[in-house]
Structures are given as C-alpha cells and as structure tokens.
Amino acid sequence: MVQRKNTSSLKKFLGELRSCIICNGNNFEHFAQLDSFEAKKCKDCGMISTNPHLTEEGLLEYYGNYLTDRVSDIDPKEKILLEQRNLAYLIDRDWILKFIDHGKVLDVGCSGGQFLNIFDSKKWERLGVDVSKEDSDFAKSNYDIDVKVGFLPNMHFDDKFDLVILRGVIEHISKPLEFLQKCYDLLNPGGYLFITATPVGDSFAFDVYREKWVLFNPVEHLHFFTVDLLDRKLQDFGLKLIDYSYQYAETPYANPIEDFKKIREDIVLISSGCGDQIKSSVPFPGSMLTAVWQK
C-alpha cells in the first residue's frame, strides 16, 4: 500500500502544465487534488495525470533513500506491508509464467532486485535497470543480480530480451511513452512486455474516492493508465495485447467482506456531503492493472 509523505517542501519543484500524453490535447477537467498536486482528466481521451507534476530535480529529491524506506524494519506495521509485498511478487510472477517461463528478462525500475530475485536463475538470465546506485549495490550484494544504473531511454544494451517487466513503474515516469518505446526496441521478436502493479485510471474506487483513494499519491503516481489507453499507444509501437487482469481477491491486501462494506458506507457519506469524514479507501476490485503484450 502507498505510504504518503509530507509534500509541502516539494511545491517549489512543480513543473509546467503539459499536454495529454495520450492524445496531446489540452482540454482538461479537474479530477482530484492533494495539497498542491492536482490530477486532471483529459476530456478527449479520458487519460488522468498529475498535471503539473514534479520536475526531474524534484523527483530525485523525493526519492532520496527510497529503497532504505522500503526495506528497513521500522515498526510491526511496516513488516506486515513488506510481507504482503513479497506475496504480491509471487502472484505477479506466477501470472506472467503462464505465458513465458524462461529466457532473458529485464526488470525496468527494479529497485533492489526483490521481484527479479524470485525468477528462477536456472531458467532466466536476469538483468535489472534502476536510476539508483544504492539499488544496484543492494541487488548485487543480496541476490547476485546485476542492475544497470541509468535512465532507460538513454541506455545501451548488447542483448535483447524475451521478457521486459515494468512492475509498479510506468505510473512514476514523467515521459512514459519514451520508456514504452525503448521497451519495445529491447524485445526480441515474439517477446513479452509485462506491466503490472499499476493504478488504474478508470477504476470504480478512484472515481468514488478521488483524492481519498489510497492509490492517489500524486507526487509518485504521475499517470493513471487504463488497459485501453496503454493498448492504444502500444499498438502504435507494434505490440499486441495478449491478456490482462485486475488482481484483487487473490492478493494479500483483499478482505472482500470488509472492503465491500466500507465502500458502501463511504458512498453514502460522500453522497450526503460528509466525504471529509473518510480518511482513505480500502483495496477494491479494478484498482490495479496487470497486462501483457507481445511483439
């Protein structure tokens, strides 16, 4: 689950208002807001983005010690979240193994290699990419996994890959189409692009809760894609959508009885003008996207 940080010091890093990344339009409507960060919805194609969002300088400031924050043993609640995340890794890995179970794999934005590590090293030639030297060192020392440090669109690779992974990554990228184009270029013919753990822009929970949606973290989450909008751009690159899923019940975060009860109660509060009583949403079906495309 997303842990929101104090964003007041980051306001100075807000960039310029940008055109829609899908249709290049400038016909927006307000969708949600948290502090100084606003999500706008494109009236022409439906894409939702934090706009404006942090500059690259601001993002580097925000992501300082990001890996340390995720893996450190802070308190029992953080330990539970770490255990849940590890279970979610297994679910995502097993989903993609239905389509490809060996070959060369590149995990883009791999952090410390935690997800890549659960791919069998006897079946997979594993490589990661991340912008953090700290992440690269962690992956090598803990899992013996090589992680190249840099900005993917500007990087050179000697090999191409059978599987390229973007797990919980594409929503964090200021210019995601550059990343998607590079991912396409790095795939072997017949290779797979796997995008997972990505907040969904047209989810029911986002529409109900707006800024109270637990996945609305506009400092980190710059873009809220849908399957259709991703497919629209990936088709342009030459990729074919193979399958997709909105994982919920199988995840360690789900509690269907309590989750459904809360969203019913919260809809009543919102409808009666008492939405300020709601602290945050709960996990809910349709909120997280998992999908695979083939070259």
Side-chain angles (χ1 to χ4, degrees):
M1 304 300 289
V2 174
Q3 300 300 298
R4 292 173 173 166
K5 299 181 181 180
N6 189 312
T7 63
S8 59
S9 64
L10 297 171
K11 183 178 179 180
K12 61 185 177 182
F13 293 112
L14 276 175
E16 300 294 325
L17 187 68
R18 303 188 183 194
S19 299
C20 175
I21 62 169
I22 299 296
C23 70
N24 205 38
N26 291 284
N27 187 18
F28 299 115
E29 62 182 357
H30 172 84
F31 193 80
Q33 185 151 356
L34 185 66
D35 299 328
S36 301
F37 297 86
E38 180 185 5
K40 293 182 175 68
K41 183 175 183 178
C42 177
K43 291 184 179 181
D44 298 322
C45 71
M47 181 69 201
I48 299 173
S49 296
T50 301
N51 195 6
H53 54 251
L54 291 182
T55 61
E56 290 186 8
E57 181 185 6
L59 288 170
L60 288 173
E61 173 80 13
Y62 179 78
Y63 284 114
N65 298 319
Y66 190 70
L67 176 64
T68 302
D69 291 344
R70 285 172 68 91
V71 302
S72 60
D73 294 331
I74 300 172
D75 56 40
K77 183 178 179 180
E78 291 297 322
K79 291 181 180 179
I80 291 173
L81 291 174
L82 182 60
E83 292 171 0
Q84 290 176 328
R85 189 180 303 123
N86 290 336
L87 289 173
Y89 287 156
L90 293 172
I91 293 167
D92 285 346
R93 182 205 60 184
D94 291 347
W95 193 89
I96 193 58
L97 290 182
K98 297 185 297 182
F99 305 95
I100 179 171
D101 62 3
H102 68 282
K104 292 183 178 180
V105 55
L106 177 68
D107 189 0
V108 178
C110 68
S111 188
Q114 294 90 340
F115 184 50
L116 200 53
N117 180 55
I118 64 172
F119 285 76
D120 189 345
S121 61
K122 296 178 181 178
K123 296 183 177 181
W124 294 93
E125 186 175 331
R126 305 173 299 180
L127 180 66
V129 170
D130 206 275
V131 295
S132 168
K133 178 67 163 54
E134 178 193 19
D135 289 333
S136 177
D137 293 343
F138 184 94
K140 188 64 176 178
S141 62
N142 286 274
Y143 308 124
D144 195 28
I145 292 175
D146 290 327
V147 173
K148 295 184 69 170
V149 178
F151 183 65
L152 181 72
N154 301 332
M155 298 176 74
H156 171 74
F157 295 81
D158 293 328
D159 298 317
K160 292 199 173 183
F161 300 88
D162 304 300
L163 174 64
V164 174
I165 298 169
L166 292 166
R167 186 186 190 281
V169 168
I170 196 64
E171 67 273 16
H172 295 261
I173 306 302
S174 179
K175 298 179 180 179
L177 300 187
E178 293 183 2
F179 271 68
L180 294 174
Q181 176 68 68
K182 184 69 171 185
C183 289
Y184 170 82
D185 294 340
L186 288 171
L187 282 172
N188 283 318
Y192 294 90
L193 173 63
F194 179 39
I195 298 177
T196 187
T198 297
V200 182
D202 61 357
S203 73
F204 178 72
F206 195 11
D207 189 50
V208 168
Y209 285 102
R210 303 298 175 103
E211 59 274 356
K212 297 292 184 73
W213 191 39
V214 70
L215 295 174
F216 180 60
N217 185 347
V219 180
E220 294 187 20
H221 295 166
L222 311 183
H223 303 293
F224 299 88
F225 288 97
T226 70
V227 172
D228 289 342
L229 291 174
L230 273 172
D231 190 45
R232 174 172 166 177
K233 304 311 294 186
L234 291 174
Q235 280 189 45
D236 291 343
F237 298 147
L239 290 166
K240 178 182 178 181
L241 179 64
I242 301 300
D243 199 6
Y244 63 90
S245 174
Y246 299 101
Q247 296 173 357
Y248 166 72
E250 67 270 42
T251 72
Y253 308 108
N255 185 339
I257 294 176
E258 293 301 319
D259 294 345
F260 282 45
K261 177 183 177 182
K262 185 177 190 305
I263 201 168
R264 288 195 301 268
E265 294 172 347
D266 288 348
I267 288 173
V268 172
L269 286 173
I270 293 168
S271 299
S272 62
C274 299
D276 57 344
Q277 297 180 22
I278 301 169
K279 291 184 178 181
S280 179
S281 69
V282 290
F284 199 74
S287 293
M288 295 289 276
L289 166 65
T290 290
V292 61
W293 286 262
Q294 188 172 25
K295 184 171 182 179

